[in-house]
Amino acid sequence: MTYFPEEVVEHIFSFLPAQRDRNTVSLVCKVWYEIERLSRRSVFVGNCYAVRAERVALRFPNVRALTVKGKPHFADFNLVPPDWGGYAGPWIEAAARGCVGLEELRMKRMVVSDESLELLSRSFPRFRALVLISCEGFSTDGLAAIASHCKLLSELDLQENEVEDRGPRWLSCFPDSCTSLVSLNFACIKGEVNAGSLERLVSRSPNLRSLRLNRSVSVDTLAKILMRTPNLEDLGTGNLTDDFQTESYFRLTSALEKCKMLRSLSGFWDASPVCLSFIYPLCAQLTGLNLSYAPTLDASDLTKMISRCVKLQRLWVLDCISDKGLQVVASSCKDLQELRVFPSDFYVAGYSAVTEEGLVAISLGCPKLNSLLYFCHQMTNAALITVAKNCPNFTRFRLCILEPGKPDVMTNQPLDEGFGAIVRECKGLRRLSISGLLTDKVFMYIGKYAKQLEMLSIAFAGDSDKGMMHVMNGCKNLRKLEIRDSPFGDAALLGNVAKYETMRSLWMSSCNVTLKGCQVLASKMPMLNIEVINEWDGSNEMEENHGELPKVEKLYVYRTTAGARDDAPNFVKIL
Amino acid sequence: MASLRSTSCLASASAETDAENLCATELRLGPPGVVVGEDAPAKKPSSVGAKRALESTGPSADDEHDTAAPAKAQVVGWPPVRAYRRNTFHQSSASSAAAKKSGDEQQQQQGGLYVKVSMDGAPYLRKVDLRMYKGYRELREALDLLFTKCFSASAPGTHSSEGCSDGQFAFAYEDKDGDLMLVGDVPWEMFTSSCKKLRIMKGSEAR
């Protein structure tokens, strides 16, 4: 192969888009390494601290699409203190210096500043797509820079970010010459936008396929916009309050009728039940529906709508839908692949109208189901065993019983057998979150059967170090392990140290790991960063309370080629 | 593929009456009917801990009526719902006229009132947001949950498997003046405005 001209080898590599494969070929020999790195178009960095930004930019100067992820997943639930890290700055700066052909940037759980967005907007002449998910640190001024300077922008997708509102001007910054928008999602922007600017922007974007508005956009504006977007495939509505003029809603219906390509709906902010009926005509063609931000809709409102959505593949809904509502879903949505049922009450042992019954009904009616996120207030082993038999195709299974450590409600037993059935039957399971009362036995099952498992989330579970060790020794494909409030200590942490090199990261909080254990791990595995995170300086109080070794409150372990990071705050100690 | 509809209604009703009869809810880590000689530290389900009436050293004037009412406890980061979603709901429950929770909204919008909680014998402290609770009972239930969950298999000698509500512990707090006070003497609102730190003390130390 080395006798072929470079262009031929490069052409052959172009049939290997997957990063894993390209990483593999680059290891064959120096020549292949060079050809591969110069022709690499897309780079995925799963942990921004696993490698230095400069190194990535140097190695892949011709990258077009860069994805970087920052904080660990549990940051979503406020378990990672603010100012922990995950800064986008170094990545944007390194790319600005070394990868001027960059066209797409995707970031998740990172801290992005307005200055970085300004730099981004000015550094890449062909830049066209910015996707920010669960990020923070920027304001609408940063968005104004992007709108103003990225002449070829086709995608601006802001999902669930914390954005400081500095007024509506950012949307007006898109120049009249900007006609290339394909996807615009500003649902997470809290403030108002100028309706006129929005209408004009949409009017001059003939390629717009996905539009997600924020809460401030009125029904009137929505109706006007939809008259201009007959090719829209995905829509996030503005608010649908019942403070309405019927006329606006009729306009809305006639506008929606024109949108024959519309397949996916979300938004429904402050949605009043009366407003839903104006959307009914669309339901038969929908494949995706997100009603999880509409707490004012009750079970009958929801089922009236969903029963019409016979082609639905993806449904996100609140638990007010109740078990009865889920039975309607099960009988109406035979193509359902992904279901997420979110809690409307965030108390630990709060009330939820969904139980194991709803889940069993879904499993009976929707055999194609492969992805589940289900918050409920009770579960049984029998139900889980039934679900596992009915739906062996699960790739993602996340069950959250609201009350930590709650047993099977019928038998008072742990839920080991139920989850055991899930991992045994669902041979393709890649992601699993477990909850309820669980002993070491469930981990024995997981280690034994969950061979494809890549990500495991554990909370308030297990009896001893053996639990965690079953997972570390058995799950061959494990990449991310996150644990909170479980009795795993140093023996578990140190039971299989080589494993951490094959994983992206380990998170442990409120467990029984001690500082000594972390130090031992650090000394054995120099290619890992061991971050000990202690939020408060109450080290004196910790001594007072016990005579034993100090326990580590939060621990984050990840493999890295970058060594200890230099941007860690003072409450993070890197061993 | 048995239908579970008929049985689970009965089950939840019986679970509630069982909660009042502690013997009937003795947990074993094995199939029912089998007597296990030597138990691993039996993990009592938190549903029992949350529902049973807690020994209180203060006024238990709160609604002790139904054990069916779930404990409105709050644990940091639980349930695992993204901050974005939580914040959005605080906004929507405030703006919608049909808001089910009335007085609580005001509390939540003022932001959290986090205080440290230490428990004698526990390896590290926790934090709770006092604004999340309506009264002393909810606070005690939350603390019970927090401190029984992680330490049951750790150091021997902690009475954690019985929870901190079995009468062996006393709840105290440090007020604005730095004095150590017994929890429960003053009205709830007065307590939340003066409490700086919480301390769960072993019975022998608490006079």
Side-chain angles (χ1 to χ4, degrees), chain A residues 160 349 357 403-404 412-413 510, chain B residues 8 27 30 46-47 70 78 82 124:
Chain A
E160 301 192 345
E357 285 185 24
E403 201 181 308
N412 255 339
Q413 296 299 307
S510 304
Chain B
S8 77
L27 239 220
S46 61
S47 57
W78 192 267
R82 274 192 185 170
Y124 44 77

Side-chain angles (χ1 to χ4, degrees), chain A residues 526-567:
Chain A
M527 74 294 293
L528 302 178
N529 273 359
I530 318 285
E531 294 199 6
V532 173
I533 302 165
N534 281 319
E535 251 179 297
W536 33 81
D537 53 351
S539 46
N540 297 337
E541 296 168 75
M542 277 168 64
E543 305 275 343
E544 258 176 49
N545 276 316
H546 60 92
E548 302 171 350
L549 298 164
K551 295 233 170 109
V552 163
E553 186 199 317
K554 290 173 187 178
L555 171 67
Y556 186 45
V557 176
Y558 53 91
R559 65 181 177 190
T560 180
T561 58
R565 58 185 175 108
D566 51 17
D567 61 3

Side-chain angles (χ1 to χ4, degrees), chain A residues 30 44 115 118 135 143 156 159 313-314 344 358 366 470:
Chain A
K30 280 212 173 89
F44 172 84
E115 291 72 34
E118 174 90 24
C135 295
L143 299 179
L156 179 60
Q159 297 179 32
Q313 295 173 15
R314 185 177 47 85
S344 41
C366 311
H470 283 308

Side-chain angles (χ1 to χ4, degrees), chain A residues 84 493-494 497 500 506 513-533 552 554-560 563-565 568 572-575:
Chain A
W84 170 82
L493 182 72
L494 300 169
V497 295
Y500 297 117
L506 164 73
V513 175
T514 71
L515 192 58
K516 186 89 204 306
C518 297
Q519 284 162 342
V520 171
L521 181 59
S523 63
K524 284 191 177 182
M525 302 289 287
M527 74 294 293
L528 302 178
N529 273 359
I530 318 285
E531 294 199 6
V532 173
I533 302 165
V552 163
K554 290 173 187 178
L555 171 67
Y556 186 45
V557 176
Y558 53 91
R559 65 181 177 190
T560 180
R565 58 185 175 108
V572 171
K573 198 166 148 196
I574 303 181
L575 304 176

Side-chain angles (χ1 to χ4, degrees), chain A residues 209-221:
Chain A
R209 295 289 172 270
S210 167
L211 178 64
R212 296 192 183 189
L213 309 168
N214 77 351
R215 220 169 183 155
S216 73
V217 177
S218 68
V219 175
D220 216 42
T221 307

Side-chain angles (χ1 to χ4, degrees), chain A residues 394-543:
Chain A
F394 275 120
T395 54
R396 294 182 199 85
F397 190 88
R398 293 191 279 165
L399 179 67
C400 179
I401 302 164
L402 290 170
E403 201 181 308
K406 187 164 183 178
D408 178 322
V409 284
M410 277 168 62
T411 65
N412 255 339
Q413 296 299 307
L415 289 168
D416 301 335
E417 297 307 316
F419 281 105
I422 295 286
V423 292
R424 202 170 39 240
E425 303 291 332
C426 305
K427 305 206 179 350
L429 196 68
R430 292 199 312 265
R431 183 167 179 187
L432 177 65
S433 298
I434 57 181
S435 59
L437 181 63
L438 296 162
T439 73
D440 285 347
K441 201 166 190 203
V442 72
F443 298 111
M444 190 265 291
Y445 288 137
I446 293 173
K448 187 170 176 189
Y449 295 111
K451 292 306 179 189
Q452 298 302 317
L453 195 66
E454 296 178 5
M455 182 169 177
L456 178 62
S457 307
I458 301 169
F460 305 100
D463 304 314
S464 74
D465 290 328
K466 285 207 192 77
M468 182 171 159
M469 281 164 64
H470 283 308
V471 172
M472 292 289 284
N473 295 333
C475 298
K476 297 291 167 220
N477 281 302
L478 195 66
R479 291 191 296 115
K480 289 180 278 184
L481 180 58
E482 46 184 26
I483 307 172
R484 63 165 294 180
D485 292 275
S486 300
F488 306 135
D490 295 342
L493 182 72
L494 300 169
N496 183 354
V497 295
K499 177 84 174 160
Y500 297 117
E501 256 197 309
T502 67
M503 289 167 59
R504 183 187 298 175
S505 65
L506 164 73
W507 170 277
M508 292 178 79
S509 57
S510 304
C511 297
N512 292 345
V513 175
T514 71
L515 192 58
K516 186 89 204 306
C518 297
Q519 284 162 342
V520 171
L521 181 59
S523 63
K524 284 191 177 182
M525 302 289 287
M527 74 294 293
L528 302 178
N529 273 359
I530 318 285
E531 294 199 6
V532 173
I533 302 165
N534 281 319
E535 251 179 297
W536 33 81
D537 53 351
S539 46
N540 297 337
E541 296 168 75
M542 277 168 64
E543 305 275 343

